[in-house]
Amino acid sequence: MTPFNRRQAIGLLGAAAATGLAAPAIAKNSKAVVGALSLTSHSGSFIAVERNYFAEAGLDVELKFFQAAQPMAVAIASGDVDFGVTAISGGLLSLAQKGAVKVIGGALSEEAGIDGQKILASDAAFQAGLTSPEALGGKRFGMTTAGSSFHYMGSKIAAAHGVEDLKFVPLQKVGAIIGALKSGQIDAWSIVPHIAKALAGSGAVHIIGDVADYLPDYQVTTVFTSAQNASSDRALVETFLSGFTRGVSDFNATMVEKSQGDAAIDEMVQLIHKYVYTDRPLEKAAPSIINGAMRINKGAAINVASVRDQLEWMQSAGLVDSAITLDTFLDTSYVDTIGA
């Protein structure tokens, strides 16, 4: 597996700079671009925009959508995006090593008692015997890129069963992975529940396990910004986190704890539908949105133990430099820590 070495990290930065996107940190906290994926797990940002929590904190936010973690990390490094919410990737860690980005908080987490990410098998593989993760030997597992969260999850699941010959297939985009799984071009994958359950409902894919059984308390996604913002524009970062965490609180109370009642759930689903499953009518999108309600960390707290495990796995796999430490990419001065 090719590591994210110094040359590649410089190349990522150079490619971003070549687009003319590099920009100084925002000085007056008036505007910020926030990176997101069209997933229920990014609802903290969607809610903060729709309910004016960012605006009330003094920040005019524009959402910019991506289809994978690594391009978002490059956009943060270039200055095209100010804040991002996505999984830790090898590309992000290597950019952090170059002084470009910092993780400042946590977002989506696996939590006992809450339905989380699922392990999937294609129908062809299922019919051929892939009915549990123990049977992953020799199979093809989908991922966006090397060092992605999918790569991490698949490797950890395989290791738990002593599987040494799981084959990872990089397909760059989540949509491409879904297509490959449904058509049998890959055998297995792991993904958030609102996508997993919808795929399983089609009959072309089967759920064969839960990620939480292998990675309890997994810090699935994190909040990050440029290293310059984290070190030199504390007011901007705190303003963003103020609005974002209000959105997270609303999401958890309504969709995870279900303490606000059915009417609040219906209202929240309508809000999220503006950004997730927009190609479906609301009545068809609603069950998937509800099924995707995993916990987002209160106050953007970060699970340091989980993040450390992800770093150590990437280093053991030769995907990132062994010299990278938690301090290289993690700034814990903004939020509470978990499992440190």
Side-chain angles (χ1 to χ4, degrees), residues 160-182:
H161 294 294
V163 172
E164 298 181 352
D165 58 347
L166 184 62
K167 302 171 185 177
F168 289 93
V169 182
L171 294 167
Q172 308 306 318
K173 299 178 180 180
V174 167
I177 299 175
I178 291 172
L181 188 68
K182 291 173 70 175

Side-chain angles (χ1 to χ4, degrees), residues 23 35 212 316:
S316 68

Side-chain angles (χ1 to χ4, degrees), residues 166-335:
L166 184 62
K167 302 171 185 177
F168 289 93
V169 182
L171 294 167
Q172 308 306 318
K173 299 178 180 180
V174 167
I177 299 175
I178 291 172
L181 188 68
K182 291 173 70 175
S183 63
Q185 297 175 66
I186 58 172
D187 304 306
W189 188 37
S190 55
I191 191 61
V192 289
H194 66 288
I195 293 178
K197 291 180 181 180
L199 289 171
S202 72
V205 174
H206 301 268
I207 294 172
I208 61 170
D210 292 288
V211 170
D213 290 342
Y214 301 88
L215 292 165
D217 303 319
Y218 170 33
Q219 185 69 69
V220 183
T221 61
T222 61
V223 183
F224 64 106
T225 189
S226 68
Q228 184 177 4
N229 282 345
S231 64
S232 303
D233 204 339
R234 193 169 191 88
L236 173 66
V237 176
E238 291 178 344
T239 298
F240 167 78
L241 287 171
S242 173
F244 175 74
T245 56
R246 286 182 69 188
V248 166
S249 293
D250 283 6
F251 178 81
N252 286 338
T254 302
M255 303 299 292
V256 180
E257 298 154 11
K258 302 187 189 308
S259 62
Q260 308 302 300
D262 291 343
I265 292 174
D266 291 343
E267 180 184 352
M268 182 73 74
V269 168
Q270 291 180 50
L271 186 160
I272 295 170
H273 183 240
K274 294 181 181 180
Y275 302 94
V276 179
Y277 291 123
T278 57
D279 59 337
R280 303 181 188 177
L282 177 62
E283 61 271 18
K284 291 188 176 181
S288 293
I289 292 171
I290 293 170
N291 284 334
M294 292 173 64
R295 176 84 64 186
I296 305 174
N297 289 5
K298 179 181 179 181
I302 182 82
N303 189 318
V304 176
S306 176
V307 170
R308 181 185 295 110
D309 186 70
Q310 293 176 61
L311 169 63
E312 291 175 351
W313 169 77
M314 289 190 200
Q315 290 175 325
S316 68
L319 292 165
V320 299
D321 196 321
S322 61
I324 296 175
T325 67
L326 284 176
D327 289 341
T328 303
F329 70 93
L330 183 61
D331 183 340
T332 59
S333 68
Y334 288 97
V335 300

Side-chain angles (χ1 to χ4, degrees), residues 1-9 90 94 146 314 317-321:
M1 190 66 66
T2 302
F4 291 92
N5 56 29
R6 180 177 181 275
R7 179 177 297 177
Q8 287 174 304
S94 294
M314 289 190 200
L319 292 165
V320 299
D321 196 321

